[in-house]
């Protein structure tokens, strides 16, 4: 499944953004998948941000816990990442990813086999 991420932009520190991830085709399979957000800052490796299983179980990186919320719109197959209290260190390209169902949300990239093109988030100080 192809994924399209959107919602990035430039925001001041302390502000909020909401990222969206939409599968190009919504089938019975897309509703059964697990989803995640990863990010990659310039010169750094891609890192896990948040994940959600098809049943709604979530997991977060320690660096975003209590500031970011991942959610799903099961009716439309959308996945969202609400980002509050943004910090300059959150600046990165954010990627949504999808993978086969696992009972626990996975935080490693190899668990996901479909990736979007990414959306750029820039947080100014």
């Amino acid at each position: 499944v192809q994924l399209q991420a959107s919602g990035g932009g430039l925001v001041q520190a302390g502000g909020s953004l909401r990222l969206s991830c939409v599968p190009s085709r919504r089938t019975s399979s897309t509703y059964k998948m697990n989803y995640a957000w990863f990010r990659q800052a310039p010169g750094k490796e891609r890192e896990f941000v948040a994940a959600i299983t098809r049943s709604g179980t979530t997991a977060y990186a320690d660096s975003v816990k209590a500031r970011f919320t991942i959610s799903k719109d099961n009716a439309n197959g959308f996945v969202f990442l609400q980002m509050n209290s943004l910090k300059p260190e959150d600046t990165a390209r954010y990627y949504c990813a999808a993978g086969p169902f696992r009972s626990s949300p996975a935080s490693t990239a190899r668990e996901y086999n479909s990736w979007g093109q990414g959306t750029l988030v820039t947080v100014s100080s």
Side-chain angles (χ1 to χ4, degrees), residues 40-124:
Q40 187 167 19
K44 295 188 176 181
E45 294 186 352
R46 188 171 299 189
E47 65 175 3
F48 169 75
V49 176
I52 187 167
T53 68
R54 71 180 187 190
S55 56
T57 303
T58 59
Y60 297 92
D62 288 342
S63 59
V64 307
K65 205 171 290 185
R67 299 189 298 123
F68 291 11
T69 302
I70 188 170
S71 61
K72 291 192 310 173
D73 176 351
N74 286 324
N76 294 296
F78 295 179
V79 180
F80 303 102
L81 184 68
Q82 177 66 43
M83 306 187 295
N84 299 327
S85 302
L86 283 161
K87 304 176 181 180
E89 51 264 43
D90 294 319
T91 294
R93 182 168 292 277
Y94 284 71
Y95 298 87
C96 62
F101 172 72
R102 300 282 188 268
S103 57
S104 297
S107 60
T108 53
R110 64 175 179 271
E111 294 290 340
Y112 301 93
N113 49 23
S114 296
W115 293 80
Q117 82 288 356
T119 185
L120 183 62
V121 172
T122 304
V123 184
S124 62

